[in-house]
Amino acid sequence: MIQRLQSVYLLLVAALVVTSMFMPMATIVTLEDPMVLSAMGAYTPGVDSKLLFTMWPLAIVLGLSALLALISIFLYRNRPLQMRVCNFTALLLIAFYVVLGIYIYDLYIALNGESLQLQAALSMPVVALVLNYIAYRRIRADERLVRSADRLR
């Protein structure tokens, strides 16, 4: 289970996604106050920080993709299902960027933003997507190896 390299990749996917859920992803600078965007919502930075807008769809998509990556680790006996779960995790990570882009665009237009500053946490789901793809390739290689061994019997 965990001794397989793809399990380590999937564990890293889950860790990166969970970490990116709680880190700021972008800052919209406006005339009044800047607004920091994370997967949990939009808030004003500083000591007297207050939540301005919740973004639950982002948190749900990231949480579900982390949960599916963890579940995929324990599906090592059913590799075809494990590959499908990896594909669905990849689709969720791509959907995260689509939904985040919609939120950023809508908030930027609604607030008459002056500038948009992207944070480093925005790259974590991309790294998770790459690691998920590598894990998928390793799972597929294992399945091919098992099928070739079955042919030899």
Side-chain angles (χ1 to χ4, degrees), residues 5-16:
L5 193 55
Q6 55 265 35
S7 298
V8 175
Y9 290 143
L10 290 170
L11 189 64
L12 286 173
V13 167
L16 282 170

Side-chain angles (χ1 to χ4, degrees), residues 88-145:
F88 190 65
T89 303
L91 286 175
L92 282 176
L93 289 172
I94 292 169
F96 161 75
Y97 279 109
V98 171
V99 173
L100 180 67
I102 292 169
Y103 271 120
I104 287 176
Y105 179 76
D106 285 345
L107 287 174
Y108 189 78
I109 297 298
L111 296 173
N112 294 327
E114 291 179 2
S115 67
L116 176 68
Q117 301 169 351
L118 301 177
Q119 306 294 328
L122 197 57
S123 65
M124 286 184 186
V126 170
V127 175
L129 189 62
V130 169
L131 289 173
N132 189 54
Y133 176 71
I134 294 170
Y136 173 80
R137 296 276 310 246
R138 298 284 303 208
I139 295 165
R140 190 175 68 188
D142 280 355
E143 182 63 21
R144 286 182 180 166
L145 182 66

